[in-house]
Amino acid sequence: MTHRNPAITGLLAAGLIVPLLCLVASGVDAADWRDRDLDTAAELRDRALRGTRAFEHASSLVTQVGPRLAGSLGDRAAVAWALTYLRSLGFEQVEAQQVTVPRWERGEAIVEITAPWPQPLIGVAIGGSVGTDQRGIEAPVLRVQSLDELEALPRDRVAGNIVFIDERMAPSRDASTYGVAVRKRTQGPSIAASLGAVALVIRSVGTSEDRIAHTGALVYRIDAPRIPAVAISNPDADLLARQFADGQPVGLRLALTARELPPTVSANVIAELPGIERPDEIVLLGAHLDSWDLAQGAEDDAAGVAIVVEAARLISELPQRPARTIQVVLYANEEFGLSGANEYARAIEGSGRQVIVGLEADLGSGAPWAFHGSVADEARPALTIMHGVLEPIGIELLDTPAYGGADLQPLKRTGTPVLQIRHDATKYFDVHHTVNDTLDRVDPAGLDRHVAAYAAVAYLAAVKRGDFGRLPPPAPAVTAR
Amino acid sequence: MTHRNPAITGLLAAGLIVPLLCLVASGVDAADWRDRDLDTAAELRDRALRGTRAFEHASSLVTQVGPRLAGSLGDRAAVAWALTYLRSLGFEQVEAQQVTVPRWERGEAIVEITAPWPQPLIGVAIGGSVGTDQRGIEAPVLRVQSLDELEALPRDRVAGNIVFIDERMAPSRDASTYGVAVRKRTQGPSIAASLGAVALVIRSVGTSEDRIAHTGALVYRIDAPRIPAVAISNPDADLLARQFADGQPVGLRLALTARELPPTVSANVIAELPGIERPDEIVLLGAHLDSWDLAQGAEDDAAGVAIVVEAARLISELPQRPARTIQVVLYANEEFGLSGANEYARAIEGSGRQVIVGLEADLGSGAPWAFHGSVADEARPALTIMHGVLEPIGIELLDTPAYGGADLQPLKRTGTPVLQIRHDATKYFDVHHTVNDTLDRVDPAGLDRHVAAYAAVAYLAAVKRGDFGRLPPPAPAVTAR
């Protein structure tokens, strides 16, 4: 469902975009924005579309740092990179906010079919999985098509088996298929364990047809045994499925050296453009600095880092700073429990400052296609005005509530409104959380279009006379992490 | 360059293919084939185009055996599979011909940038590479764009360095770009070593943009030190190249546990349709049973196995066997020194039998696009007649000499003519010698079209009244292995 302002749509159709847009917009809600605010937002947008430095930022992070799993040496290097790099871009206030993060080491994963026809498979430990002893686990395989099918089975069908959840994820522009598929990874291990399974193997939560498996975090329940959990690639899952074809029993052996280590220290890196009128009111532009360990974290989330950094940098080049503070927050440890986001939300509480609205970029460089928000009801008409600046670049306005992003959830739970630019996720899950998440998958033009959208929206939020109100506690939601 | 029979082309344009083709053909050279021979070849072709069991054969091999590097347990399983499977298809004479094969174990490869910005890379040992000690080799990196550039350097520029040959291979339908690019893999290690390099790293000889590296054999010269050699994926090579961008020294560390083991025994598996008139004259249909260790060897060369087995099986279903023997030869150890092909050629010599012509299928399932041969001059007109059966399915006739395939070279050197169906290799080097060489990359329709072509050509060769003469020793050539 989309919602367009018919007056603006009509003018767009007439090919008369920017000047008339401002007139219409000021007629709709003169209280929030002056004509020149909307003009400035449109100028930021158009400047970004002419080319930005966003790809250069992403390249710097992935070339000079690379993998940066929370708590790893790469994570430390990323924090050091961010502090230096943001200062080099001219941000005056750049700080590290200390965050305690968990530590987990992937180690090696051996996954092999033992019967009927022995073959090695390519698999990766799911993030947070326990390891096995050196001998590994060898057991018959119970193949199910979905987590729902598994949950419906009696314990005596499952106990003693390695469960194989053979569910394929389809691509989707809005990432909705990931939200559904990811449950087998996050909840599958404890559901299988509670039915007596000795290990879990899943077909990767990802859309790549290459022989690469997709990692990501699991969540062990406290009331179930902790069993090892691995993901295998789509072609490996195909092979395992074929071995079931003639009805013989299928066996697997898993050996994982994954292990948890004591927690350690990392940091959110925060850069500000202080507001000239209301510096304690923050418009937050978030992305996460950590990545999974298998690759460079280029799409997830150097792309987001590049977008929000460049959007703020463009705003910093305006002749006059906005009324409110624009804060770029590069979160620690999005991937492994949101400890950076939790720490940020804890620290802002009672600081005398408030995030009046947040935006987060964490879905790669696929082009922006929609805009929406979760704001107080009285602020909803403002979204239509803001959308007027985005519509000329092909961004729809959705009338659905916005999730906002994983790192914004701790703030959102305390009432902070969120705005959201939707990224085209059709190709994102080909590379997300895999070895293929490298710079060559980042679309420079997509980044520029996002910078255009984020800069325009952040600027408008930072100069808006009124705010976006506060939210009631949100309903639970899932998205890409 | 293509060569078409204008009379046939004109008839094809008129939509009058099979009956008129036979009349024309018999008019052109009544000495070699009767009309009904050409009709039978066309019927074989058309039967194959209606669907064959080739994909089923490929699936069986990769599902029940999988990786089958010469001398490995998988190789033994492949020989056992082939003996059983070919008998189950109704071939009466199925034999294993013992072959001594080398043995090499890949082990693990650690490749990491040590300076300026440390990062792990994904690399694989090149087949046959020596290992390192546990500490590995750490050295500065000398980047060159090509093997030619390396060869032109003075020893003092190269000595003590790890050489990085950063040459990208482009795709090509005729596999010609592989023939050029592969030299850095086969000859690069000894050329680098002879200039004092301590190790060699190459951008993969492959066209995949995924984070997978491409293996394949090297050839150590006896007059150069044996240095470790690895291939890194294209995105990893991009990363390494980017680290050179600001002029700082770049360092790498390599640690390989690759090792050579004592030779062991494998086998060529040979199945026959004995000829009813000239059983000691053999039309050879070859493919190789071994594969690299990284994947299932689906395109390389379960596809070829499937094509030649199915082509022979279709011929076996004819009411009457051809005059000559059709022999399916599934070679041992194509990948690692052609010991199966050498043994076959040694054994046939002085056996009282002779291969009058050979065809080999070893370039995947990409559609057939051309036909040619290296035959005695007096037999060249016969190629045009044979091509008449292939032209209706879009196969050109090339007037260039045919290489024939790696496994046919030992026979070819002793004068055996070869015929060659050219496979479209545009996508082949995305998967060849990588973890991505899995069943999902095999095109069932491509297999069927190849079966059509191989069956028709093999049949015509087996019923041809005259033979294809003998060849002088061929000029050296390279192709996909």
PDB file of all heavy atoms in Angstrom, chain A residues 62-63 66 119 209-211 242-243 294 435-436 438-439 441, chain B residues 62-63 66 117 119 209-211 242-243 294 435-436 438-439 441:
ATOM      1  N   VAL A  62      36.444  -1.436   4.165  1.00  0.00           N
ATOM      2  CA  VAL A  62      36.646  -2.864   3.885  1.00  0.00           C
ATOM      3  C   VAL A  62      38.078  -3.160   3.448  1.00  0.00           C
ATOM      4  O   VAL A  62      38.569  -4.267   3.649  1.00  0.00           O
ATOM      5  CB  VAL A  62      35.639  -3.410   2.854  1.00  0.00           C
ATOM      6  CG1 VAL A  62      34.215  -3.144   3.309  1.00  0.00           C
ATOM      7  CG2 VAL A  62      35.879  -2.893   1.471  1.00  0.00           C
ATOM      8  N   THR A  63      38.753  -2.167   2.887  1.00  0.00           N
ATOM      9  CA  THR A  63      40.138  -2.395   2.466  1.00  0.00           C
ATOM     10  C   THR A  63      41.089  -2.304   3.658  1.00  0.00           C
ATOM     11  O   THR A  63      42.010  -3.119   3.804  1.00  0.00           O
ATOM     12  CB  THR A  63      40.544  -1.368   1.392  1.00  0.00           C
ATOM     13  OG1 THR A  63      39.645  -1.475   0.296  1.00  0.00           O
ATOM     14  CG2 THR A  63      41.968  -1.611   0.906  1.00  0.00           C
ATOM     15  N   GLY A  66      38.404  -4.733   6.900  1.00  0.00           N
ATOM     16  CA  GLY A  66      37.924  -6.067   6.546  1.00  0.00           C
ATOM     17  C   GLY A  66      37.023  -6.653   7.610  1.00  0.00           C
ATOM     18  O   GLY A  66      36.231  -5.935   8.231  1.00  0.00           O
ATOM     19  N   GLN A 119      30.236 -38.066   1.538  1.00  0.00           N
ATOM     20  CA  GLN A 119      30.753 -36.900   0.815  1.00  0.00           C
ATOM     21  C   GLN A 119      30.922 -35.755   1.803  1.00  0.00           C
ATOM     22  O   GLN A 119      30.104 -35.591   2.700  1.00  0.00           O
ATOM     23  CB  GLN A 119      29.776 -36.430  -0.267  1.00  0.00           C
ATOM     24  CG  GLN A 119      29.743 -37.255  -1.518  1.00  0.00           C
ATOM     25  CD  GLN A 119      29.212 -36.463  -2.717  1.00  0.00           C
ATOM     26  OE1 GLN A 119      29.504 -35.294  -2.881  1.00  0.00           O
ATOM     27  NE2 GLN A 119      28.430 -37.121  -3.547  1.00  0.00           N
ATOM     28  N   GLU A 209      23.024 -19.167  -4.947  1.00  0.00           N
ATOM     29  CA  GLU A 209      23.108 -20.523  -5.492  1.00  0.00           C
ATOM     30  C   GLU A 209      24.559 -20.990  -5.542  1.00  0.00           C
ATOM     31  O   GLU A 209      24.864 -22.032  -6.118  1.00  0.00           O
ATOM     32  CB  GLU A 209      22.465 -20.579  -6.868  1.00  0.00           C
ATOM     33  CG  GLU A 209      20.954 -20.353  -6.844  1.00  0.00           C
ATOM     34  CD  GLU A 209      20.219 -21.348  -5.954  1.00  0.00           C
ATOM     35  OE1 GLU A 209      20.559 -22.544  -5.953  1.00  0.00           O
ATOM     36  OE2 GLU A 209      19.301 -20.914  -5.222  1.00  0.00           O
ATOM     37  N   ASP A 210      25.458 -20.214  -4.965  1.00  0.00           N
ATOM     38  CA  ASP A 210      26.854 -20.633  -4.891  1.00  0.00           C
ATOM     39  C   ASP A 210      27.060 -21.554  -3.709  1.00  0.00           C
ATOM     40  O   ASP A 210      26.214 -21.693  -2.839  1.00  0.00           O
ATOM     41  CB  ASP A 210      27.758 -19.408  -4.769  1.00  0.00           C
ATOM     42  CG  ASP A 210      27.748 -18.605  -6.042  1.00  0.00           C
ATOM     43  OD1 ASP A 210      27.923 -19.211  -7.107  1.00  0.00           O
ATOM     44  OD2 ASP A 210      27.526 -17.391  -5.969  1.00  0.00           O
ATOM     45  N   ARG A 211      28.253 -22.131  -3.705  1.00  0.00           N
ATOM     46  CA  ARG A 211      28.525 -23.136  -2.665  1.00  0.00           C
ATOM     47  C   ARG A 211      29.111 -22.444  -1.436  1.00  0.00           C
ATOM     48  O   ARG A 211      30.229 -22.731  -0.998  1.00  0.00           O
ATOM     49  CB  ARG A 211      29.498 -24.156  -3.252  1.00  0.00           C
ATOM     50  CG  ARG A 211      29.477 -25.431  -2.487  1.00  0.00           C
ATOM     51  CD  ARG A 211      29.365 -26.653  -3.314  1.00  0.00           C
ATOM     52  NE  ARG A 211      29.497 -27.795  -2.447  1.00  0.00           N
ATOM     53  CZ  ARG A 211      30.590 -28.523  -2.355  1.00  0.00           C
ATOM     54  NH1 ARG A 211      31.649 -28.268  -3.099  1.00  0.00           N
ATOM     55  NH2 ARG A 211      30.630 -29.536  -1.511  1.00  0.00           N
ATOM     56  N   ARG A 242      19.194 -35.069  -2.172  1.00  0.00           N
ATOM     57  CA  ARG A 242      19.223 -36.145  -3.184  1.00  0.00           C
ATOM     58  C   ARG A 242      19.597 -37.477  -2.562  1.00  0.00           C
ATOM     59  O   ARG A 242      19.191 -38.535  -3.063  1.00  0.00           O
ATOM     60  CB  ARG A 242      20.212 -35.805  -4.313  1.00  0.00           C
ATOM     61  CG  ARG A 242      19.766 -34.728  -5.264  1.00  0.00           C
ATOM     62  CD  ARG A 242      20.505 -34.799  -6.611  1.00  0.00           C
ATOM     63  NE  ARG A 242      21.942 -34.754  -6.498  1.00  0.00           N
ATOM     64  CZ  ARG A 242      22.693 -33.654  -6.440  1.00  0.00           C
ATOM     65  NH1 ARG A 242      22.115 -32.473  -6.470  1.00  0.00           N
ATOM     66  NH2 ARG A 242      24.004 -33.726  -6.356  1.00  0.00           N
ATOM     67  N   GLN A 243      20.372 -37.429  -1.502  1.00  0.00           N
ATOM     68  CA  GLN A 243      20.775 -38.693  -0.894  1.00  0.00           C
ATOM     69  C   GLN A 243      19.602 -39.362  -0.169  1.00  0.00           C
ATOM     70  O   GLN A 243      19.670 -40.554   0.146  1.00  0.00           O
ATOM     71  CB  GLN A 243      21.972 -38.476   0.038  1.00  0.00           C
ATOM     72  CG  GLN A 243      23.222 -38.044  -0.761  1.00  0.00           C
ATOM     73  CD  GLN A 243      24.496 -38.750  -0.331  1.00  0.00           C
ATOM     74  OE1 GLN A 243      24.501 -39.518   0.631  1.00  0.00           O
ATOM     75  NE2 GLN A 243      25.568 -38.515  -1.044  1.00  0.00           N
ATOM     76  N   LEU A 294      33.132 -13.778   8.111  1.00  0.00           N
ATOM     77  CA  LEU A 294      33.454 -14.544   6.910  1.00  0.00           C
ATOM     78  C   LEU A 294      33.944 -13.683   5.758  1.00  0.00           C
ATOM     79  O   LEU A 294      34.533 -14.190   4.816  1.00  0.00           O
ATOM     80  CB  LEU A 294      32.221 -15.327   6.440  1.00  0.00           C
ATOM     81  CG  LEU A 294      31.740 -16.426   7.382  1.00  0.00           C
ATOM     82  CD1 LEU A 294      30.413 -17.001   6.875  1.00  0.00           C
ATOM     83  CD2 LEU A 294      32.775 -17.534   7.496  1.00  0.00           C
ATOM     84  N   VAL A 435      30.802 -15.325   2.705  1.00  0.00           N
ATOM     85  CA  VAL A 435      32.116 -14.918   2.209  1.00  0.00           C
ATOM     86  C   VAL A 435      32.023 -13.961   1.024  1.00  0.00           C
ATOM     87  O   VAL A 435      32.985 -13.264   0.711  1.00  0.00           O
ATOM     88  CB  VAL A 435      32.977 -16.139   1.789  1.00  0.00           C
ATOM     89  CG1 VAL A 435      33.317 -16.998   2.995  1.00  0.00           C
ATOM     90  CG2 VAL A 435      32.304 -16.956   0.694  1.00  0.00           C
ATOM     91  N   ASN A 436      30.888 -13.935   0.354  1.00  0.00           N
ATOM     92  CA  ASN A 436      30.742 -13.073  -0.819  1.00  0.00           C
ATOM     93  C   ASN A 436      30.400 -11.626  -0.489  1.00  0.00           C
ATOM     94  O   ASN A 436      30.156 -10.841  -1.409  1.00  0.00           O
ATOM     95  CB  ASN A 436      29.667 -13.633  -1.760  1.00  0.00           C
ATOM     96  CG  ASN A 436      30.257 -14.591  -2.778  1.00  0.00           C
ATOM     97  OD1 ASN A 436      31.463 -14.592  -3.009  1.00  0.00           O
ATOM     98  ND2 ASN A 436      29.414 -15.401  -3.379  1.00  0.00           N
ATOM     99  N   THR A 438      31.614  -8.720  -0.296  1.00  0.00           N
ATOM    100  CA  THR A 438      32.839  -7.988  -0.620  1.00  0.00           C
ATOM    101  C   THR A 438      32.499  -6.732  -1.420  1.00  0.00           C
ATOM    102  O   THR A 438      31.383  -6.584  -1.929  1.00  0.00           O
ATOM    103  CB  THR A 438      33.793  -8.878  -1.438  1.00  0.00           C
ATOM    104  OG1 THR A 438      33.071  -9.463  -2.523  1.00  0.00           O
ATOM    105  CG2 THR A 438      34.356  -9.993  -0.564  1.00  0.00           C
ATOM    106  N   LEU A 439      33.486  -5.865  -1.557  1.00  0.00           N
ATOM    107  CA  LEU A 439      33.259  -4.526  -2.117  1.00  0.00           C
ATOM    108  C   LEU A 439      32.651  -4.554  -3.509  1.00  0.00           C
ATOM    109  O   LEU A 439      31.872  -3.664  -3.877  1.00  0.00           O
ATOM    110  CB  LEU A 439      34.579  -3.750  -2.146  1.00  0.00           C
ATOM    111  CG  LEU A 439      34.464  -2.262  -2.512  1.00  0.00           C
ATOM    112  CD1 LEU A 439      33.662  -1.502  -1.468  1.00  0.00           C
ATOM    113  CD2 LEU A 439      35.847  -1.650  -2.697  1.00  0.00           C
ATOM    114  N   ARG A 441      30.352  -6.176  -4.615  1.00  0.00           N
ATOM    115  CA  ARG A 441      28.891  -6.305  -4.587  1.00  0.00           C
ATOM    116  C   ARG A 441      28.198  -4.986  -4.248  1.00  0.00           C
ATOM    117  O   ARG A 441      26.965  -4.907  -4.279  1.00  0.00           O
ATOM    118  CB  ARG A 441      28.464  -7.378  -3.565  1.00  0.00           C
ATOM    119  CG  ARG A 441      29.125  -8.718  -3.772  1.00  0.00           C
ATOM    120  CD  ARG A 441      28.899  -9.237  -5.195  1.00  0.00           C
ATOM    121  NE  ARG A 441      29.655 -10.451  -5.422  1.00  0.00           N
ATOM    122  CZ  ARG A 441      29.096 -11.644  -5.571  1.00  0.00           C
ATOM    123  NH1 ARG A 441      27.795 -11.793  -5.534  1.00  0.00           N
ATOM    124  NH2 ARG A 441      29.861 -12.705  -5.777  1.00  0.00           N
TER     125      ARG A 441
ATOM    126  N   VAL B  62      27.625 -37.744  -9.326  1.00  0.00           N
ATOM    127  CA  VAL B  62      27.981 -36.722  -8.340  1.00  0.00           C
ATOM    128  C   VAL B  62      27.272 -36.949  -7.010  1.00  0.00           C
ATOM    129  O   VAL B  62      27.780 -36.557  -5.965  1.00  0.00           O
ATOM    130  CB  VAL B  62      27.737 -35.285  -8.862  1.00  0.00           C
ATOM    131  CG1 VAL B  62      28.482 -35.057 -10.158  1.00  0.00           C
ATOM    132  CG2 VAL B  62      26.273 -34.968  -9.000  1.00  0.00           C
ATOM    133  N   THR B  63      26.127 -37.582  -7.040  1.00  0.00           N
ATOM    134  CA  THR B  63      25.413 -37.828  -5.790  1.00  0.00           C
ATOM    135  C   THR B  63      26.010 -39.019  -5.054  1.00  0.00           C
ATOM    136  O   THR B  63      26.192 -38.996  -3.830  1.00  0.00           O
ATOM    137  CB  THR B  63      23.919 -38.080  -6.068  1.00  0.00           C
ATOM    138  OG1 THR B  63      23.392 -36.954  -6.769  1.00  0.00           O
ATOM    139  CG2 THR B  63      23.146 -38.304  -4.775  1.00  0.00           C
ATOM    140  N   GLY B  66      30.705 -38.017  -5.778  1.00  0.00           N
ATOM    141  CA  GLY B  66      31.188 -36.687  -5.414  1.00  0.00           C
ATOM    142  C   GLY B  66      32.641 -36.483  -5.798  1.00  0.00           C
ATOM    143  O   GLY B  66      33.086 -36.951  -6.849  1.00  0.00           O
ATOM    144  N   TRP B 117      47.449  -3.463   5.688  1.00  0.00           N
ATOM    145  CA  TRP B 117      46.252  -3.640   6.508  1.00  0.00           C
ATOM    146  C   TRP B 117      45.922  -5.122   6.574  1.00  0.00           C
ATOM    147  O   TRP B 117      45.334  -5.673   5.632  1.00  0.00           O
ATOM    148  CB  TRP B 117      45.082  -2.854   5.908  1.00  0.00           C
ATOM    149  CG  TRP B 117      45.376  -1.385   5.850  1.00  0.00           C
ATOM    150  CD1 TRP B 117      45.605  -0.533   6.904  1.00  0.00           C
ATOM    151  CD2 TRP B 117      45.481  -0.572   4.675  1.00  0.00           C
ATOM    152  NE1 TRP B 117      45.857   0.739   6.456  1.00  0.00           N
ATOM    153  CE2 TRP B 117      45.779   0.752   5.095  1.00  0.00           C
ATOM    154  CE3 TRP B 117      45.355  -0.831   3.316  1.00  0.00           C
ATOM    155  CZ2 TRP B 117      45.954   1.801   4.196  1.00  0.00           C
ATOM    156  CZ3 TRP B 117      45.522   0.208   2.419  1.00  0.00           C
ATOM    157  CH2 TRP B 117      45.827   1.507   2.862  1.00  0.00           C
ATOM    158  N   GLN B 119      44.562  -8.707   6.656  1.00  0.00           N
ATOM    159  CA  GLN B 119      43.256  -9.315   6.393  1.00  0.00           C
ATOM    160  C   GLN B 119      43.464 -10.729   5.888  1.00  0.00           C
ATOM    161  O   GLN B 119      44.406 -10.981   5.133  1.00  0.00           O
ATOM    162  CB  GLN B 119      42.496  -8.555   5.307  1.00  0.00           C
ATOM    163  CG  GLN B 119      41.858  -7.272   5.755  1.00  0.00           C
ATOM    164  CD  GLN B 119      40.690  -6.867   4.834  1.00  0.00           C
ATOM    165  OE1 GLN B 119      39.913  -7.696   4.398  1.00  0.00           O
ATOM    166  NE2 GLN B 119      40.595  -5.589   4.569  1.00  0.00           N
ATOM    167  N   GLU B 209      32.995 -14.335 -10.225  1.00  0.00           N
ATOM    168  CA  GLU B 209      33.150 -13.153  -9.375  1.00  0.00           C
ATOM    169  C   GLU B 209      32.827 -13.486  -7.926  1.00  0.00           C
ATOM    170  O   GLU B 209      32.731 -12.602  -7.088  1.00  0.00           O
ATOM    171  CB  GLU B 209      32.262 -12.016  -9.884  1.00  0.00           C
ATOM    172  CG  GLU B 209      32.694 -11.474 -11.240  1.00  0.00           C
ATOM    173  CD  GLU B 209      34.140 -10.979 -11.251  1.00  0.00           C
ATOM    174  OE1 GLU B 209      34.573 -10.343 -10.276  1.00  0.00           O
ATOM    175  OE2 GLU B 209      34.846 -11.266 -12.244  1.00  0.00           O
ATOM    176  N   ASP B 210      32.639 -14.760  -7.628  1.00  0.00           N
ATOM    177  CA  ASP B 210      32.405 -15.177  -6.257  1.00  0.00           C
ATOM    178  C   ASP B 210      33.727 -15.340  -5.534  1.00  0.00           C
ATOM    179  O   ASP B 210      34.788 -15.397  -6.135  1.00  0.00           O
ATOM    180  CB  ASP B 210      31.627 -16.489  -6.229  1.00  0.00           C
ATOM    181  CG  ASP B 210      30.213 -16.283  -6.705  1.00  0.00           C
ATOM    182  OD1 ASP B 210      29.556 -15.354  -6.203  1.00  0.00           O
ATOM    183  OD2 ASP B 210      29.778 -17.028  -7.593  1.00  0.00           O
ATOM    184  N   ARG B 211      33.609 -15.501  -4.231  1.00  0.00           N
ATOM    185  CA  ARG B 211      34.811 -15.541  -3.405  1.00  0.00           C
ATOM    186  C   ARG B 211      35.278 -16.986  -3.295  1.00  0.00           C
ATOM    187  O   ARG B 211      35.403 -17.557  -2.211  1.00  0.00           O
ATOM    188  CB  ARG B 211      34.473 -14.948  -2.034  1.00  0.00           C
ATOM    189  CG  ARG B 211      35.690 -14.522  -1.310  1.00  0.00           C
ATOM    190  CD  ARG B 211      35.620 -13.151  -0.723  1.00  0.00           C
ATOM    191  NE  ARG B 211      36.810 -12.966   0.081  1.00  0.00           N
ATOM    192  CZ  ARG B 211      36.827 -13.051   1.399  1.00  0.00           C
ATOM    193  NH1 ARG B 211      35.729 -13.283   2.083  1.00  0.00           N
ATOM    194  NH2 ARG B 211      37.966 -12.885   2.042  1.00  0.00           N
ATOM    195  N   ARG B 242      43.915  -3.466  -4.122  1.00  0.00           N
ATOM    196  CA  ARG B 242      43.584  -2.174  -3.508  1.00  0.00           C
ATOM    197  C   ARG B 242      44.579  -1.797  -2.423  1.00  0.00           C
ATOM    198  O   ARG B 242      44.813  -0.628  -2.154  1.00  0.00           O
ATOM    199  CB  ARG B 242      42.169  -2.196  -2.910  1.00  0.00           C
ATOM    200  CG  ARG B 242      41.048  -2.186  -3.918  1.00  0.00           C
ATOM    201  CD  ARG B 242      39.719  -1.696  -3.313  1.00  0.00           C
ATOM    202  NE  ARG B 242      39.299  -2.450  -2.147  1.00  0.00           N
ATOM    203  CZ  ARG B 242      38.597  -3.584  -2.170  1.00  0.00           C
ATOM    204  NH1 ARG B 242      38.234  -4.117  -3.318  1.00  0.00           N
ATOM    205  NH2 ARG B 242      38.253  -4.184  -1.039  1.00  0.00           N
ATOM    206  N   GLN B 243      45.168  -2.812  -1.784  1.00  0.00           N
ATOM    207  CA  GLN B 243      46.115  -2.503  -0.716  1.00  0.00           C
ATOM    208  C   GLN B 243      47.418  -1.918  -1.280  1.00  0.00           C
ATOM    209  O   GLN B 243      48.202  -1.320  -0.543  1.00  0.00           O
ATOM    210  CB  GLN B 243      46.353  -3.739   0.148  1.00  0.00           C
ATOM    211  CG  GLN B 243      45.077  -4.144   0.891  1.00  0.00           C
ATOM    212  CD  GLN B 243      45.315  -4.496   2.355  1.00  0.00           C
ATOM    213  OE1 GLN B 243      46.435  -4.549   2.841  1.00  0.00           O
ATOM    214  NE2 GLN B 243      44.233  -4.734   3.080  1.00  0.00           N
ATOM    215  N   LEU B 294      37.686 -30.177  -4.838  1.00  0.00           N
ATOM    216  CA  LEU B 294      36.945 -29.112  -4.165  1.00  0.00           C
ATOM    217  C   LEU B 294      35.436 -29.261  -4.280  1.00  0.00           C
ATOM    218  O   LEU B 294      34.696 -28.655  -3.526  1.00  0.00           O
ATOM    219  CB  LEU B 294      37.346 -27.747  -4.727  1.00  0.00           C
ATOM    220  CG  LEU B 294      38.789 -27.321  -4.465  1.00  0.00           C
ATOM    221  CD1 LEU B 294      39.098 -26.038  -5.235  1.00  0.00           C
ATOM    222  CD2 LEU B 294      39.028 -27.109  -2.970  1.00  0.00           C
ATOM    223  N   VAL B 435      34.796 -24.934  -5.956  1.00  0.00           N
ATOM    224  CA  VAL B 435      33.750 -25.530  -5.115  1.00  0.00           C
ATOM    225  C   VAL B 435      32.373 -25.462  -5.764  1.00  0.00           C
ATOM    226  O   VAL B 435      31.466 -26.195  -5.382  1.00  0.00           O
ATOM    227  CB  VAL B 435      33.675 -24.859  -3.720  1.00  0.00           C
ATOM    228  CG1 VAL B 435      34.939 -25.129  -2.917  1.00  0.00           C
ATOM    229  CG2 VAL B 435      33.398 -23.366  -3.822  1.00  0.00           C
ATOM    230  N   ASN B 436      32.210 -24.560  -6.727  1.00  0.00           N
ATOM    231  CA  ASN B 436      30.896 -24.394  -7.365  1.00  0.00           C
ATOM    232  C   ASN B 436      30.609 -25.405  -8.468  1.00  0.00           C
ATOM    233  O   ASN B 436      29.586 -25.294  -9.143  1.00  0.00           O
ATOM    234  CB  ASN B 436      30.763 -22.982  -7.935  1.00  0.00           C
ATOM    235  CG  ASN B 436      30.154 -22.018  -6.922  1.00  0.00           C
ATOM    236  OD1 ASN B 436      29.566 -22.447  -5.934  1.00  0.00           O
ATOM    237  ND2 ASN B 436      30.308 -20.737  -7.165  1.00  0.00           N
ATOM    238  N   THR B 438      29.002 -28.039  -9.148  1.00  0.00           N
ATOM    239  CA  THR B 438      27.975 -28.907  -8.581  1.00  0.00           C
ATOM    240  C   THR B 438      26.852 -29.141  -9.590  1.00  0.00           C
ATOM    241  O   THR B 438      26.747 -28.439 -10.595  1.00  0.00           O
ATOM    242  CB  THR B 438      27.391 -28.284  -7.298  1.00  0.00           C
ATOM    243  OG1 THR B 438      27.013 -26.933  -7.582  1.00  0.00           O
ATOM    244  CG2 THR B 438      28.424 -28.301  -6.183  1.00  0.00           C
ATOM    245  N   LEU B 439      26.001 -30.107  -9.283  1.00  0.00           N
ATOM    246  CA  LEU B 439      25.003 -30.568 -10.252  1.00  0.00           C
ATOM    247  C   LEU B 439      24.085 -29.471 -10.759  1.00  0.00           C
ATOM    248  O   LEU B 439      23.653 -29.503 -11.911  1.00  0.00           O
ATOM    249  CB  LEU B 439      24.169 -31.696  -9.628  1.00  0.00           C
ATOM    250  CG  LEU B 439      23.215 -32.418 -10.587  1.00  0.00           C
ATOM    251  CD1 LEU B 439      23.982 -33.169 -11.664  1.00  0.00           C
ATOM    252  CD2 LEU B 439      22.303 -33.371  -9.816  1.00  0.00           C
ATOM    253  N   ARG B 441      24.724 -26.696 -11.735  1.00  0.00           N
ATOM    254  CA  ARG B 441      25.310 -25.936 -12.845  1.00  0.00           C
ATOM    255  C   ARG B 441      25.224 -26.705 -14.162  1.00  0.00           C
ATOM    256  O   ARG B 441      25.587 -26.176 -15.212  1.00  0.00           O
ATOM    257  CB  ARG B 441      26.781 -25.611 -12.549  1.00  0.00           C
ATOM    258  CG  ARG B 441      26.997 -24.895 -11.232  1.00  0.00           C
ATOM    259  CD  ARG B 441      26.169 -23.615 -11.138  1.00  0.00           C
ATOM    260  NE  ARG B 441      26.284 -23.026  -9.828  1.00  0.00           N
ATOM    261  CZ  ARG B 441      26.910 -21.878  -9.578  1.00  0.00           C
ATOM    262  NH1 ARG B 441      27.442 -21.186 -10.562  1.00  0.00           N
ATOM    263  NH2 ARG B 441      26.960 -21.410  -8.354  1.00  0.00           N
TER     264      ARG B 441
END
